[in-house]
Every structure is written in structure tokens, then in C-alpha cells.
């Protein structure tokens, strides 16, 4: 573990999570969730969990984002809060 | 510097709690159903972050036996040199289950939108009360 890298990645993760929760445009929210997933993936490489990391990159950042984008495009894009 | 080393070990734990609270706020405080689902995802990944953090060690490498250790008949394994693979493998299952849950939830959201025409919780409850 490199603790400086750890700290930077944890900060980016929290920033992406806050943005995904607070932004009104749902497509932006989904893209921020995807970025959150990517930083989580880098965090796991940094912690030595490479199997979790590539599963996260394929499944978390890939499949989940595709499913969310399809649902957002088929329904409303704007959120009330 | 024992104090600094202890502090460094706590970063992941603090962030896991912060992420969990962000996800919990999104699940309870937001009215849009897609936002609730985003919060549920963040909540899941915060728990996975906690469990994977349990396996991390300082100055350890990934859990694959190094070739240099295999000179004799049996590899001389030093457990402190490798991160613990057991929590990581358990969390692989949790990631896959989380994606399946997300897929089912998104399918339910599409059905709800087709029937009631909205994904906002307050409007949804009103329309359910009107149409039964």
C-alpha cells in the first residue's frame, strides 16, 4: 500500500459519490457513478486485490453503467431533487 | 512514528463510513428512484471496500506465488509477504450479486415507469392512490 496514492484515490472516490448523489441530471449522475467505480478499481489494484479490480472494471464500471444509461434514456433524464 | 502508521491504517475505514452514509442518505433522503438505486450501489461498494481493506497489508504483494520461491520441491511461503486472498474472493461474489440486484431493480423501474409515467416517489404514491 502506498498511503499517498491511497489518500488521493479515497478523496476522488468520495468526491465522485457526492457528485453522483447531488447532481440533478440523471445521466451525469450515472457517469459520475461510473467514475466512482473506476476509482474504486484503481484503489483495489493499489491494495493488491487484482481479481476484484478487473471484475469491478468489467462488471461495475461496464455493465452497471450500460444498464443505468439504458434505463435513464428510456425514462426521464431530469430528477426533481 | 507509530502514530502516523496507525493514522494511515484508518483512512480506508473512515472513507468506508463516509461512503456508506452518502449511500444511505441517497437511499432515504432522495425522492427519485434512480437516485435511490445509485445510493444503493454506493452503499454496496462501501461495504466491499471495508472487507477488501481487511486483507491489505503494508509491503505485501498480490496473492500469486513468486517464481523465486519455487526453487525446491515445495515453495517456501511467507504469509506476511502476500495480501490475504480470502476476503477478496468473498467480495467477488458480492460484486456479482450486486450487479444482479441492480439489473432486477432497473427492470422494475422500467415497469413502474411504463405503468405510472413517473419515477418520483411522491408523484408515484399519488398516482397509485388515484388509480389503485
Amino acid at each position: 500500500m502506498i498511503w499517498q496514492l491511497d489518500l488521493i484515490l479515497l478523496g476522488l472516490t468520495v468526491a465522485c459519490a457526492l457528485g453522483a448523489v447531488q447532481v440533478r441530471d440523471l445521466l451525469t449522475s450515472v457517469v459520475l457513478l461510473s467514475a466512482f467505480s473506476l476509482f474504486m478499481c484503481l484503489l483495489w489494484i493499489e491494495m493488491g486485490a487484482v481479481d476484484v479490480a478487473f471484475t469491478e472494471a468489467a462488471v461495475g464500471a461496464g455493465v452497471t453503467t450500460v444498464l443505468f444509461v439504458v434505463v435513464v434514456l428510456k425514462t426521464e433524464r431530469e430528477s426533481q431533487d | 512514528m507509530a502514530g502516523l502508521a496507525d493514522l494511515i491504517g484508518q483512512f480506508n475505514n473512515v472513507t468506508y463510513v463516509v461512503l456508506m452514509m452518502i449511500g444511505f442518505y441517497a437511499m432515504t433522503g432522495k425522492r427519485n428512484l434512480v437516485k435511490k438505486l445509485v445510493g444503493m450501489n454506493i452503499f454496496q461498494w462501501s461495504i466491499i471496500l471495508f472487507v477488501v481493506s481487511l486483507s491489505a497489508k503494508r509491503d505485501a504483494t498480490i496473492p500469486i506465488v513468486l517464481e523465486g520461491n519455487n526453487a525446491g520441491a515445495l515453495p517456501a511461503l511467507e504469509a506476511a509477504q502476500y495480501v490475504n486472498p480470502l476476503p477478496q474472493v468473498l467480495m467477488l461474489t458480492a460484486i456479482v450479486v450486486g450487479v444482479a440486484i441492480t439489473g432486477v431493480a432497473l427492470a422494475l423501474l422500467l415497469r413502474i415507469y411504463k405503468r405510472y409515467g413517473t419515477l418520483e416517489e411522491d408523484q408515484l404514491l399519488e398516482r397509485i392512490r388515484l388509480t389503485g
Side-chain angles (χ1 to χ4, degrees), chain A residues 4-26:
Chain A
Q4 291 93 342
L5 191 61
D6 195 46
L7 198 56
I8 292 170
L9 287 174
L10 288 174
L12 284 170
T13 314
V14 171
C16 280
L18 270 179
V21 168
Q22 286 298 338
V23 78
R24 293 227 167 165
D25 187 6
L26 284 179

Side-chain angles (χ1 to χ4, degrees), chain A residues 24-78:
Chain A
R24 293 227 167 165
D25 187 6
L26 284 179
L27 204 58
T28 313
S29 171
V30 170
V31 171
L32 278 172
L33 188 72
S34 177
F36 167 81
S37 207
L38 180 77
F39 288 127
M40 215 62 149
C41 171
L42 294 176
L43 198 61
W44 282 330
I45 293 177
E46 186 261 336
M47 283 196 284
V50 280
D51 46 352
V52 186
F54 63 68
T55 309
E56 170 82 37
V59 163
V63 177
T64 308
T65 311
V66 170
L67 292 175
F68 264 110
V69 166
V70 167
V71 169
V72 168
L73 291 184
K74 271 178 169 276
T75 61
E76 288 161 0
R77 211 180 135 170
E78 286 298 314

Side-chain angles (χ1 to χ4, degrees), chain B residues 101-115:
Chain B
I101 290 172
T102 309
V104 173
L106 286 170
L108 286 176
L109 287 196
L110 277 182
R111 295 295 297 169
I112 290 171
Y113 188 77
K114 262 192 192 133
R115 178 151 179 187

Side-chain angles (χ1 to χ4, degrees), chain A residues 6 23 36 55 59 80-81, chain B residues 12 31 35 45 92 99 120:
Chain A
D6 195 46
V23 78
F36 167 81
T55 309
V59 163
Q80 301 291 326
D81 53 356
Chain B
N12 279 24
R31 285 197 300 277
K35 277 286 179 62
W45 280 322
L92 277 185
V99 171
E120 300 291 329

Side-chain angles (χ1 to χ4, degrees), chain B:
Chain B
M1 290 284 278
L4 184 63
D6 289 345
L7 194 66
I8 288 168
Q10 297 303 316
F11 288 160
N12 279 24
N13 291 346
V14 172
T15 313
Y16 130 75
V17 174
V18 170
L19 283 177
M20 187 181 257
M21 286 305 113
I22 291 172
F24 195 63
Y25 164 67
M27 278 198 290
T28 55
K30 295 287 177 183
R31 285 197 300 277
N32 189 286
L33 292 183
V34 179
K35 277 286 179 62
K36 282 175 188 280
L37 209 52
V38 167
M40 194 189 78
N41 267 292
I42 293 173
F43 197 99
Q44 278 174 348
W45 280 322
S46 80
I47 293 169
I48 295 173
L49 172 69
F50 169 62
V51 180
V52 173
S53 299
L54 292 179
S55 75
K57 293 172 188 169
R58 211 166 292 125
D59 300 327
T61 182
I62 58 174
I64 296 173
V65 178
L66 294 173
E67 204 179 345
N69 272 334
N70 215 354
L74 283 174
L77 283 180
E78 193 72 42
Q81 289 176 358
Y82 301 97
V83 296
N84 188 359
L86 184 62
Q88 302 177 3
V89 177
L90 290 177
M91 285 308 108
L92 277 185
T93 321
I95 290 176
V96 176
V97 171
V99 171
I101 290 172
T102 309
V104 173
L106 286 170
L108 286 176
L109 287 196
L110 277 182
R111 295 295 297 169
I112 290 171
Y113 188 77
K114 262 192 192 133
R115 178 151 179 187
Y116 295 105
T118 182
L119 284 181
E120 300 291 329
E121 195 181 20
D122 42 352
Q123 298 173 11
L124 193 61
L125 287 176
E126 203 164 311
R127 285 179 204 190
I128 288 174
R129 207 178 314 119
L130 284 178
T131 61

